[in-house]
Amino acid sequence: MKIKKIMIYTLFTALLGTILAGCGGNSKDGAAGGGSITIGSKNFTENVLLAHMMADLIEDQTDISVKRQMNLGGSNVAWTALENNEIQLFPDYTGTIVANYYQEKTGTSEESLAKARELAGADGLIFLEPFGINNTYTLAVTRATAEKYSLKTFSDLAKVSADMVLGVEFEFLDREDGYPGIKKLYGMNFKESKGMDHGIMYRAIDDGETDVTNAYATDAQIKVHDLVILEDDKEFFPPYDAGPVIRQETLDQHPELKEVLNQMGGVITETEMQDLNAKVDVDALKEEDVARDFLISKGLIKD
């Protein structure tokens, strides 16, 4: 009988502790009232950096306990994790949301943002204020080439393309959203076009074997090789504006997150993102350190 009473008391104590813990939640310093959130990222440098920035900001300005699950995998893996509530927040891109997850057509940056918000919102996922970077495809030339031909836009390039060699990734030569499409819209006709691996492209343009290459707008290699990005003045490439995507139910539980995360709205330029990516990919600094230092430099968190 005595043993039975001890067992009942032990079970009651454990149950009471669980109830109290559930009511109180967890804060960043262990105090009650903060709750918790899991932030994820895709498996490339830029996305990891952006996820760390959001995590740092939340930890600095709220009592919410943050768990970080970086390098989850590709876009579909991270999106599925968000849908399944395995993570509650991660950085994504308007073009990816509209074209990849929902197979809809993109438009301008403004149209794609509105479409991404509409489509994701119907599934209880909220796209907050974009960070300021559009990590889209682009064309780039050396600084010397840009100065020699006064190149600023794709239209400028089209006028002198007959004198130039294009060196791009293999698939870019054949995809309709690559060279064939650009050729139709801008009337570009290079004297030669070469397909090559991503890493070789930059070596080729450095060595003067090619004059023009394709790139991502925030690629660290743009900075490393001192290339000049040309403006897609007819907006051929779809926009990939980056921003926080969060579950609606998470915002309902923690409404302060909207104001906190929106402080990152428009705070990062493509050039700054190139620099940040280069610090990791070239200088071998840790993503979490680079992310935190950037937020401090912007006055968003304290040192």
Side-chain angles (χ1 to χ4, degrees), residues 33 36 53 63 77-78 85 105 133 140 153 156 161 171 183 187 190 218 230 237 284:
S36 64
M53 288 181 198
D63 290 326
V77 173
N85 201 26
K105 289 185 177 180
I133 57 172
T153 67
D156 293 336
S161 59
E171 67 173 4
K183 189 174 181 178
F190 294 95
T218 58
L230 301 180
F237 291 119

Side-chain angles (χ1 to χ4, degrees), residues 255-274:
E256 69 273 24
L257 286 176
K258 182 176 182 180
E259 183 177 351
V260 170
L261 291 169
N262 279 345
Q263 291 177 78
M264 289 184 64
V267 80
I268 314 174
T269 66
E270 275 92 9
T271 301
E272 287 174 327
M273 198 71 240
Q274 290 170 21

Side-chain angles (χ1 to χ4, degrees), residues 39-43 69-74 77-79 81-82 87 90:
I39 298 176
S41 84
K42 303 183 191 184
N43 57 352
Q69 289 191 353
M70 305 303 176
N71 291 295
L72 288 171
V77 173
W79 188 259
L82 187 69
I87 61 174
F90 88 111

Side-chain angles (χ1 to χ4, degrees), residues 22 74 89 91 96 107 129 131 134 151 155 167 176-177 182 189 213-214 222 232 235 241 294-295 300 303:
L89 168 67
T96 304
E129 287 303 304
F131 299 129
N134 179 7
L151 300 179
S155 292
E176 192 58 34
D177 61 348
I182 291 176
N189 286 285
T213 190
N214 72 292
I222 299 278
D232 181 8
E235 297 186 330
D241 294 294
F294 177 77
L295 292 180
L300 293 176
D303 193 350

Side-chain angles (χ1 to χ4, degrees), residues 44-53 91 93 131-136 216-224 229 240-243 264 267-282 287 290-291 294 298:
F44 60 95
T45 299
E46 176 174 299
N47 210 253
V48 175
L49 284 168
L50 294 172
H52 276 304
M53 288 181 198
Y93 304 82
F131 299 129
I133 57 172
N134 179 7
N135 190 12
T136 188
Y216 293 106
T218 58
D219 194 336
Q221 298 302 321
I222 299 278
K223 174 181 174 60
V224 172
I229 290 177
Y240 287 86
D241 294 294
M264 289 184 64
V267 80
I268 314 174
T269 66
E270 275 92 9
T271 301
E272 287 174 327
M273 198 71 240
Q274 290 170 21
D275 291 340
L276 297 174
N277 287 332
K279 287 180 180 180
V280 176
D281 295 339
V282 180
E287 287 110 333
V290 173
F294 177 77
K298 293 291 183 177

Side-chain angles (χ1 to χ4, degrees), residues 5-37:
K5 287 182 178 180
I6 292 173
M7 290 176 64
I8 292 174
Y9 177 79
T10 301
L11 288 171
F12 175 78
T13 303
L15 179 60
L16 180 61
T18 301
I19 293 173
L20 290 174
C23 292
N26 297 313
S27 70
K28 64 180 180 180
D29 57 4
S36 64
I37 183 174

Side-chain angles (χ1 to χ4, degrees), residues 138-141 165-168 201-202 205 210-215 227:
T138 189
L139 296 177
V141 298
V165 176
L166 176 70
V168 295
M201 291 189 325
Y202 297 107
I205 199 168
T210 62
D211 303 295
V212 184
T213 190
N214 72 292
L227 300 180

